[in-house]
Amino acid sequence: MKTFTFAQSDFKDTEGRRLNNTLLSICFEQAGLRYLAEINAALATAEARKGMWHAASMQLDFLSAARISQDFYVEVSVLEVQADSIELGCRFYQDQKLRAVGKALLNYVNTQTRNPQPLEDDLRQYFEIEVLRFLRINEPRSAAHGGGLQLIRNSKLVGN
């Protein structure tokens, strides 16, 4: 799991506005890209993976209002590993309070053919470890926030 901070200065012309779905999706996308870049940098075959992730879907659920006038941070980790994709989960916090949760499905594709391709072994192993760490560390938070994270973790149960 990685945590990324976003400051008011990251958003121009938004003074005092609430965080909305557009801004949160931009932050989630940026945090996800930073997360994948850090993973690629840590693994031996990083150069070959540039441009191989393509977003297939994204969902955000708001739990409470947040303002752009205050810094907030985003936790990102892998929720599920599939043959040719991963599902990233995110949590948005401001003032130590969970404000929103989300998930995104990212397909791993061949950059020339644009067709899905299987994850490499080192990448799959890294992501599988991340799934376990993410679920174990944050178990108490999901119960404290009405089970919103449980919905994300059990996305197959809710029809996604």
Side-chain angles (χ1 to χ4, degrees), residues 35 39 76-81 86-89 127 130-131 134:
Y35 175 72
I39 291 168
V76 178
S77 191
V78 176
L79 297 175
E80 185 176 348
V81 181
I86 59 170
E87 187 172 57
L88 282 183
F127 287 145
E130 282 291 294
V131 170
F134 186 67

Side-chain angles (χ1 to χ4, degrees), residues 36-99:
L36 293 171
E38 286 184 18
I39 291 168
N40 280 345
L43 299 173
T45 57
E47 190 62 32
R49 290 191 193 128
K50 287 186 177 177
M52 297 185 77
W53 294 104
H54 292 261
S57 67
M58 181 186 290
Q59 175 185 334
L60 294 169
D61 295 315
F62 293 89
L63 304 175
S64 63
R67 296 234 173 248
I68 296 172
S69 58
Q70 296 176 282
D71 294 355
F72 65 97
Y73 66 95
V74 181
E75 292 178 343
V76 178
S77 191
V78 176
L79 297 175
E80 185 176 348
V81 181
Q82 299 174 7
D84 59 3
S85 63
I86 59 170
E87 187 172 57
L88 282 183
C90 69
R91 289 188 283 277
F92 297 86
Y93 289 91
Q94 190 173 67
D95 295 328
Q96 303 302 313
K97 185 173 180 182
L98 183 64
R99 303 297 182 155

Side-chain angles (χ1 to χ4, degrees), residues 139-152:
E139 194 67 34
R141 287 187 186 169
S142 65
H145 296 287
L149 299 177
Q150 187 67 30
L151 273 178
I152 290 174

